[in-house]
Amino acid sequence: MSHSIDHEKIKRWRLILGAAAENKLKPYYPTELLDEEARLMDEALAAIYDDSADAAGISAGASGGRSGRSAGLGPSSPKLTKWLGDIRTFFPPDIVSVIQSDAIERKGLKQLLFEPELLSQVKPDIHMVAMLMSLKGKIPEQTKETARQLVATVVEEIMKRLSNNLQRAVTGALNRRQHSPLPSVTGLDWLTTIRKNLKFYDQDRKLLLPEKVYFYDRARRSKEWTVILDIDQSGSMANSVIYASIIGAIFASMPALDTKVVAFDTEVVDLSEQCAEDPVDMLFGIQLGGGTDINRSIAYCEPFVTEPRKTIFILISDLYEGGNRTEMIQRLTQMHEAGVKVICLLALSDQGVPSYDDLVAKKLAALGIPCFGCSPDRLPQLIEGALKGHDLMTLAEQTKGSPS
């Protein structure tokens, strides 16, 4: 066999395919395929992805006599704790998140979330927050504080990631619309000052002698715009719910915005107060799952629209309507025609657009209401453009690319 075979590639294939493929791969690299560290990685993967394990998916440990992957997480806390430590040691953070999620879904390891000493070893990420939200009514008392700390860590990370850009987008869009009589060198509007004072140019001295100097207004007017986030809390929208709720909390911290945050399934929950006070409490107030009545939620939000042309209404939903679909489209159309900047985000997530009602999305898009998926990092661009009065359909294309 040629010595040009890449050992690292063979090792990766061995880790992907498991122990059952070892004999088939050996002819390509006759020496030991896996070193000690790779063996530990293989055991960590086998604990989750070994389909030949027992029906419950949790075996007591490795068994040397089996040909396939045979490691298991075992029922004991020490074994799970070691496994959590192993995957965090051997895999990058994004892969750890996937493996942890698979551990819960494929192996039913709810004890990861129900024992404080285990939960404290879990890598905090948005998938774990979604899992905790869906199970919050079943989390035992002794684990609640650890669960809250995990959620708080993720909320803080997302806030740090998004807050500055969102605040910069909002203040940048609003503060350049009016001028202030208060002098500020950093806020001097050179172009306006020159343009409005050209008639005072002194030809002899070659100087512009402005009669009035213009400055940008850095003071944010209170409640200049209304932003309404109407969030579908059905189970398929879990990541979008988390991002939208945290973004709502960021908006609520800005004096220039009157922020309303509403979550819905077949019932409607107004989270505006919790959003302004504690986003962690707000997340624990959300109930993932259940049916969907989008029309009812829009009806609830309509009284928040007092100045249509100073209102942004963001519906975050896959548009699968369990209520009155015709009336839902009619309400959104009436908002749009009144001057409200209506946007439908089929997903607010880093994971792309999930399944959505294509027929409804196309109908709304034909009416001038953009329907598209947006990553949280691109949202500031969208909000800034909307506040500046840019065309929403164009913004949708620039922000993510509309599927409609």
Side-chain angles (χ1 to χ4, degrees), residues 2-43:
S2 170
H3 291 292
S4 64
I5 293 292
D6 188 332
H7 183 210
E8 282 301 311
K9 287 183 179 178
I10 296 295
K11 183 169 76 172
R12 288 193 202 107
W13 276 112
R14 164 62 182 81
L15 288 170
I16 292 168
L17 298 172
E22 185 146 346
N23 290 336
K24 294 181 180 179
L25 291 172
K26 277 218 177 230
Y28 295 96
Y29 203 92
T31 61
E32 192 68 24
L33 285 174
L34 301 181
D35 55 23
E36 181 59 29
E37 181 176 298
R39 288 281 174 197
L40 291 172
M41 291 175 68
D42 188 52
E43 285 184 13

Short mmCIF file of all heavy atoms in Angstrom, two decimals, residues 2-43:
data_model
loop_
_atom_site.label_atom_id
_atom_site.label_comp_id
_atom_site.label_asym_id
_atom_site.label_seq_id
_atom_site.Cartn_x
_atom_site.Cartn_y
_atom_site.Cartn_z
N SER A 2 0.48 2.27 -0.76
CA SER A 2 1.30 3.47 -0.89
C SER A 2 1.45 4.18 0.44
O SER A 2 0.51 4.28 1.23
CB SER A 2 0.64 4.41 -1.91
OG SER A 2 1.27 5.66 -1.88
N HIS A 3 2.67 4.71 0.68
CA HIS A 3 2.92 5.44 1.92
C HIS A 3 2.37 6.86 1.87
O HIS A 3 2.50 7.61 2.83
CB HIS A 3 4.44 5.49 2.20
CG HIS A 3 5.00 4.14 2.55
ND1 HIS A 3 4.70 3.51 3.71
CD2 HIS A 3 5.83 3.32 1.86
CE1 HIS A 3 5.33 2.35 3.76
NE2 HIS A 3 6.03 2.21 2.63
N SER A 4 1.77 7.25 0.74
CA SER A 4 1.22 8.60 0.62
C SER A 4 -0.15 8.73 1.30
O SER A 4 -0.71 9.81 1.37
CB SER A 4 1.08 8.99 -0.86
OG SER A 4 0.15 8.14 -1.50
N ILE A 5 -0.68 7.61 1.81
CA ILE A 5 -1.97 7.65 2.50
C ILE A 5 -1.85 8.56 3.72
O ILE A 5 -0.93 8.45 4.52
CB ILE A 5 -2.40 6.24 2.95
CG1 ILE A 5 -2.70 5.38 1.72
CG2 ILE A 5 -3.62 6.31 3.85
CD1 ILE A 5 -3.92 5.80 0.96
N ASP A 6 -2.80 9.47 3.87
CA ASP A 6 -2.81 10.43 4.98
C ASP A 6 -3.39 9.75 6.23
O ASP A 6 -4.57 9.42 6.29
CB ASP A 6 -3.65 11.64 4.59
CG ASP A 6 -3.55 12.76 5.60
OD1 ASP A 6 -3.31 12.49 6.79
OD2 ASP A 6 -3.72 13.93 5.20
N HIS A 7 -2.50 9.55 7.23
CA HIS A 7 -2.94 8.89 8.46
C HIS A 7 -4.07 9.66 9.14
O HIS A 7 -5.01 9.07 9.69
CB HIS A 7 -1.75 8.72 9.41
CG HIS A 7 -2.11 7.98 10.67
ND1 HIS A 7 -1.49 8.21 11.86
CD2 HIS A 7 -3.04 7.03 10.91
CE1 HIS A 7 -2.02 7.43 12.79
NE2 HIS A 7 -2.97 6.70 12.23
N GLU A 8 -3.99 11.00 9.14
CA GLU A 8 -5.01 11.81 9.81
C GLU A 8 -6.39 11.59 9.18
O GLU A 8 -7.40 11.51 9.89
CB GLU A 8 -4.63 13.29 9.77
CG GLU A 8 -3.58 13.70 10.78
CD GLU A 8 -4.01 13.40 12.21
OE1 GLU A 8 -5.15 13.78 12.58
OE2 GLU A 8 -3.24 12.77 12.95
N LYS A 9 -6.43 11.49 7.85
CA LYS A 9 -7.71 11.26 7.18
C LYS A 9 -8.28 9.89 7.53
O LYS A 9 -9.48 9.73 7.76
CB LYS A 9 -7.55 11.40 5.67
CG LYS A 9 -7.35 12.83 5.20
CD LYS A 9 -7.28 12.91 3.68
CE LYS A 9 -7.11 14.36 3.23
NZ LYS A 9 -6.98 14.47 1.76
N ILE A 10 -7.39 8.88 7.57
CA ILE A 10 -7.84 7.54 7.93
C ILE A 10 -8.37 7.53 9.36
O ILE A 10 -9.40 6.92 9.66
CB ILE A 10 -6.67 6.52 7.79
CG1 ILE A 10 -6.22 6.42 6.33
CG2 ILE A 10 -7.08 5.16 8.32
CD1 ILE A 10 -7.27 5.86 5.40
N LYS A 11 -7.67 8.24 10.24
CA LYS A 11 -8.11 8.29 11.64
C LYS A 11 -9.48 8.96 11.75
O LYS A 11 -10.35 8.49 12.50
CB LYS A 11 -7.08 9.07 12.47
CG LYS A 11 -7.43 9.11 13.96
CD LYS A 11 -6.27 9.65 14.81
CE LYS A 11 -6.15 11.13 14.69
NZ LYS A 11 -5.16 11.69 15.65
N ARG A 12 -9.68 10.03 10.97
CA ARG A 12 -10.98 10.70 11.02
C ARG A 12 -12.10 9.79 10.54
O ARG A 12 -13.19 9.74 11.13
CB ARG A 12 -10.95 11.97 10.15
CG ARG A 12 -10.14 13.09 10.75
CD ARG A 12 -10.39 14.41 10.03
NE ARG A 12 -9.29 15.33 10.25
CZ ARG A 12 -8.40 15.65 9.34
NH1 ARG A 12 -8.46 15.11 8.13
NH2 ARG A 12 -7.43 16.52 9.60
N TRP A 13 -11.83 9.03 9.45
CA TRP A 13 -12.84 8.09 8.96
C TRP A 13 -13.13 7.01 10.00
O TRP A 13 -14.28 6.61 10.18
CB TRP A 13 -12.39 7.45 7.65
CG TRP A 13 -12.69 8.30 6.46
CD1 TRP A 13 -11.82 8.94 5.65
CD2 TRP A 13 -14.01 8.60 5.96
NE1 TRP A 13 -12.49 9.64 4.67
CE2 TRP A 13 -13.84 9.45 4.84
CE3 TRP A 13 -15.30 8.26 6.36
CZ2 TRP A 13 -14.91 9.94 4.11
CZ3 TRP A 13 -16.38 8.75 5.62
CH2 TRP A 13 -16.17 9.58 4.52
N ARG A 14 -12.09 6.57 10.69
CA ARG A 14 -12.29 5.57 11.75
C ARG A 14 -13.17 6.13 12.87
O ARG A 14 -14.09 5.44 13.36
CB ARG A 14 -10.91 5.15 12.29
CG ARG A 14 -10.92 4.42 13.62
CD ARG A 14 -11.69 3.10 13.57
NE ARG A 14 -11.68 2.49 14.89
CZ ARG A 14 -12.51 2.84 15.87
NH1 ARG A 14 -13.42 3.78 15.67
NH2 ARG A 14 -12.43 2.24 17.05
N LEU A 15 -12.96 7.39 13.24
CA LEU A 15 -13.78 8.00 14.30
C LEU A 15 -15.23 8.18 13.82
O LEU A 15 -16.17 8.00 14.60
CB LEU A 15 -13.19 9.36 14.70
CG LEU A 15 -11.89 9.30 15.50
CD1 LEU A 15 -11.28 10.70 15.63
CD2 LEU A 15 -12.13 8.71 16.88
N ILE A 16 -15.39 8.52 12.55
CA ILE A 16 -16.74 8.71 12.01
C ILE A 16 -17.50 7.39 11.93
O ILE A 16 -18.67 7.30 12.32
CB ILE A 16 -16.67 9.37 10.62
CG1 ILE A 16 -16.17 10.81 10.73
CG2 ILE A 16 -18.03 9.34 9.92
CD1 ILE A 16 -15.80 11.44 9.40
N LEU A 17 -16.83 6.34 11.44
CA LEU A 17 -17.51 5.07 11.15
C LEU A 17 -17.58 4.14 12.35
O LEU A 17 -18.40 3.22 12.37
CB LEU A 17 -16.81 4.37 9.99
CG LEU A 17 -16.82 5.14 8.66
CD1 LEU A 17 -15.94 4.44 7.64
CD2 LEU A 17 -18.24 5.29 8.14
N GLY A 18 -16.71 4.35 13.34
CA GLY A 18 -16.76 3.50 14.53
C GLY A 18 -15.89 2.26 14.41
O GLY A 18 -15.26 1.99 13.39
N ALA A 19 -15.89 1.46 15.48
CA ALA A 19 -15.02 0.29 15.57
C ALA A 19 -15.31 -0.75 14.50
O ALA A 19 -14.43 -1.49 14.06
CB ALA A 19 -15.13 -0.34 16.96
N ALA A 20 -16.56 -0.80 14.06
CA ALA A 20 -16.94 -1.81 13.06
C ALA A 20 -16.17 -1.64 11.75
O ALA A 20 -16.00 -2.59 10.98
CB ALA A 20 -18.45 -1.73 12.80
N ALA A 21 -15.67 -0.42 11.50
CA ALA A 21 -14.96 -0.17 10.24
C ALA A 21 -13.45 -0.37 10.38
O ALA A 21 -12.73 -0.25 9.38
CB ALA A 21 -15.24 1.26 9.79
N GLU A 22 -12.98 -0.71 11.58
CA GLU A 22 -11.53 -0.76 11.79
C GLU A 22 -10.85 -1.78 10.89
O GLU A 22 -9.80 -1.51 10.29
CB GLU A 22 -11.22 -1.04 13.27
CG GLU A 22 -9.73 -0.99 13.57
CD GLU A 22 -9.45 -0.46 14.97
OE1 GLU A 22 -10.36 0.09 15.61
OE2 GLU A 22 -8.30 -0.62 15.39
N ASN A 23 -11.42 -2.98 10.78
CA ASN A 23 -10.80 -4.03 9.97
C ASN A 23 -10.73 -3.65 8.49
O ASN A 23 -9.77 -3.99 7.80
CB ASN A 23 -11.55 -5.35 10.14
CG ASN A 23 -11.34 -5.96 11.52
OD1 ASN A 23 -10.32 -5.66 12.18
ND2 ASN A 23 -12.28 -6.77 11.98
N LYS A 24 -11.73 -2.91 8.02
CA LYS A 24 -11.75 -2.50 6.62
C LYS A 24 -10.74 -1.38 6.34
O LYS A 24 -10.25 -1.24 5.22
CB LYS A 24 -13.15 -2.06 6.22
CG LYS A 24 -14.15 -3.20 6.23
CD LYS A 24 -15.54 -2.73 5.81
CE LYS A 24 -16.53 -3.90 5.83
NZ LYS A 24 -17.89 -3.47 5.45
N LEU A 25 -10.46 -0.58 7.37
CA LEU A 25 -9.54 0.54 7.18
C LEU A 25 -8.08 0.15 7.39
O LEU A 25 -7.19 0.80 6.87
CB LEU A 25 -9.90 1.69 8.13
CG LEU A 25 -11.22 2.42 7.84
CD1 LEU A 25 -11.54 3.39 8.96
CD2 LEU A 25 -11.14 3.15 6.50
N LYS A 26 -7.85 -0.94 8.12
CA LYS A 26 -6.47 -1.34 8.46
C LYS A 26 -5.58 -1.55 7.25
O LYS A 26 -4.40 -1.17 7.27
CB LYS A 26 -6.49 -2.59 9.33
CG LYS A 26 -6.71 -2.29 10.81
CD LYS A 26 -5.87 -3.22 11.66
CE LYS A 26 -6.06 -2.84 13.13
NZ LYS A 26 -4.78 -2.69 13.78
N PRO A 27 -6.07 -2.17 6.15
CA PRO A 27 -5.19 -2.35 4.99
C PRO A 27 -4.62 -1.03 4.44
O PRO A 27 -3.58 -1.02 3.82
CB PRO A 27 -6.12 -3.00 3.96
CG PRO A 27 -7.16 -3.69 4.78
CD PRO A 27 -7.38 -2.82 5.96
N TYR A 28 -5.35 0.08 4.68
CA TYR A 28 -4.87 1.37 4.18
C TYR A 28 -3.79 1.96 5.09
O TYR A 28 -3.04 2.85 4.67
CB TYR A 28 -6.04 2.36 4.07
CG TYR A 28 -7.06 1.95 3.04
CD1 TYR A 28 -8.20 1.24 3.41
CD2 TYR A 28 -6.87 2.24 1.69
CE1 TYR A 28 -9.14 0.84 2.48
CE2 TYR A 28 -7.80 1.85 0.74
CZ TYR A 28 -8.93 1.15 1.14
OH TYR A 28 -9.84 0.76 0.21
N TYR A 29 -3.78 1.49 6.35
CA TYR A 29 -2.76 1.98 7.29
C TYR A 29 -2.59 0.90 8.36
O TYR A 29 -3.31 0.89 9.36
CB TYR A 29 -3.18 3.31 7.91
CG TYR A 29 -2.00 4.10 8.41
CD1 TYR A 29 -1.38 5.04 7.59
CD2 TYR A 29 -1.50 3.89 9.70
CE1 TYR A 29 -0.28 5.76 8.04
CE2 TYR A 29 -0.41 4.60 10.15
CZ TYR A 29 0.20 5.54 9.32
OH TYR A 29 1.29 6.26 9.77
N PRO A 30 -1.68 -0.01 8.14
CA PRO A 30 -1.59 -1.23 8.96
C PRO A 30 -1.20 -0.99 10.42
O PRO A 30 -1.42 -1.85 11.25
CB PRO A 30 -0.53 -2.06 8.24
CG PRO A 30 0.26 -1.07 7.44
CD PRO A 30 -0.68 0.00 7.06
N THR A 31 -0.61 0.16 10.75
CA THR A 31 -0.26 0.40 12.16
C THR A 31 -1.51 0.77 12.95
O THR A 31 -2.61 0.85 12.41
CB THR A 31 0.78 1.53 12.27
OG1 THR A 31 0.21 2.72 11.73
CG2 THR A 31 2.05 1.18 11.52
N GLU A 32 -1.36 1.03 14.23
CA GLU A 32 -2.49 1.36 15.10
C GLU A 32 -3.20 2.61 14.57
O GLU A 32 -2.58 3.67 14.41
CB GLU A 32 -1.99 1.61 16.53
CG GLU A 32 -3.09 1.67 17.57
CD GLU A 32 -3.76 0.32 17.78
OE1 GLU A 32 -3.14 -0.72 17.49
OE2 GLU A 32 -4.92 0.31 18.23
N LEU A 33 -4.50 2.48 14.31
CA LEU A 33 -5.23 3.60 13.74
C LEU A 33 -5.44 4.74 14.73
O LEU A 33 -5.38 5.91 14.36
CB LEU A 33 -6.60 3.12 13.23
CG LEU A 33 -6.59 2.31 11.93
CD1 LEU A 33 -7.99 1.79 11.65
CD2 LEU A 33 -6.11 3.17 10.78
N LEU A 34 -5.73 4.41 15.96
CA LEU A 34 -6.06 5.42 16.96
C LEU A 34 -5.04 5.42 18.09
O LEU A 34 -4.74 4.38 18.66
CB LEU A 34 -7.46 5.18 17.54
CG LEU A 34 -8.63 5.17 16.56
CD1 LEU A 34 -9.94 4.93 17.32
CD2 LEU A 34 -8.71 6.46 15.76
N ASP A 35 -4.52 6.60 18.42
CA ASP A 35 -3.67 6.71 19.60
C ASP A 35 -4.55 6.82 20.84
O ASP A 35 -5.78 6.76 20.75
CB ASP A 35 -2.72 7.92 19.47
CG ASP A 35 -3.48 9.22 19.21
OD1 ASP A 35 -4.67 9.29 19.55
OD2 ASP A 35 -2.87 10.15 18.65
N GLU A 36 -3.95 7.01 22.00
CA GLU A 36 -4.70 6.99 23.26
C GLU A 36 -5.76 8.09 23.28
O GLU A 36 -6.90 7.87 23.69
CB GLU A 36 -3.74 7.15 24.44
CG GLU A 36 -4.42 7.12 25.81
CD GLU A 36 -5.18 5.81 26.06
OE1 GLU A 36 -4.79 4.76 25.51
OE2 GLU A 36 -6.18 5.85 26.82
N GLU A 37 -5.38 9.29 22.84
CA GLU A 37 -6.34 10.41 22.85
C GLU A 37 -7.49 10.13 21.90
O GLU A 37 -8.66 10.39 22.22
CB GLU A 37 -5.63 11.71 22.45
CG GLU A 37 -6.56 12.92 22.46
CD GLU A 37 -5.83 14.21 22.16
OE1 GLU A 37 -4.92 14.58 22.94
OE2 GLU A 37 -6.15 14.84 21.14
N ALA A 38 -7.19 9.59 20.73
CA ALA A 38 -8.23 9.28 19.76
C ALA A 38 -9.16 8.18 20.28
O ALA A 38 -10.36 8.18 19.99
CB ALA A 38 -7.62 8.87 18.43
N ARG A 39 -8.60 7.24 21.04
CA ARG A 39 -9.43 6.19 21.63
C ARG A 39 -10.45 6.79 22.59
O ARG A 39 -11.62 6.39 22.63
CB ARG A 39 -8.55 5.18 22.38
CG ARG A 39 -7.71 4.28 21.50
CD ARG A 39 -8.52 3.14 20.93
NE ARG A 39 -7.73 2.36 19.98
CZ ARG A 39 -8.25 1.54 19.10
NH1 ARG A 39 -9.57 1.39 19.02
NH2 ARG A 39 -7.48 0.87 18.26
N LEU A 40 -10.01 7.77 23.38
CA LEU A 40 -10.92 8.43 24.32
C LEU A 40 -12.00 9.21 23.56
O LEU A 40 -13.16 9.22 23.95
CB LEU A 40 -10.14 9.36 25.25
CG LEU A 40 -9.22 8.66 26.26
CD1 LEU A 40 -8.36 9.69 26.98
CD2 LEU A 40 -10.03 7.86 27.26
N MET A 41 -11.59 9.85 22.47
CA MET A 41 -12.57 10.54 21.63
C MET A 41 -13.59 9.55 21.07
O MET A 41 -14.80 9.82 21.05
CB MET A 41 -11.87 11.26 20.48
CG MET A 41 -11.01 12.44 20.88
SD MET A 41 -10.09 13.14 19.49
CE MET A 41 -11.40 13.83 18.50
N ASP A 42 -13.10 8.40 20.65
CA ASP A 42 -13.97 7.38 20.08
C ASP A 42 -14.97 6.88 21.11
O ASP A 42 -16.15 6.66 20.81
CB ASP A 42 -13.13 6.22 19.55
CG ASP A 42 -13.96 5.21 18.78
OD1 ASP A 42 -14.69 5.62 17.85
OD2 ASP A 42 -13.90 4.01 19.11
N GLU A 43 -14.52 6.71 22.34
CA GLU A 43 -15.43 6.28 23.41
C GLU A 43 -16.50 7.32 23.66
O GLU A 43 -17.68 7.00 23.89
CB GLU A 43 -14.64 6.02 24.69
CG GLU A 43 -13.83 4.73 24.67
CD GLU A 43 -13.14 4.47 26.02
OE1 GLU A 43 -13.49 5.15 27.00
OE2 GLU A 43 -12.25 3.61 26.06
#
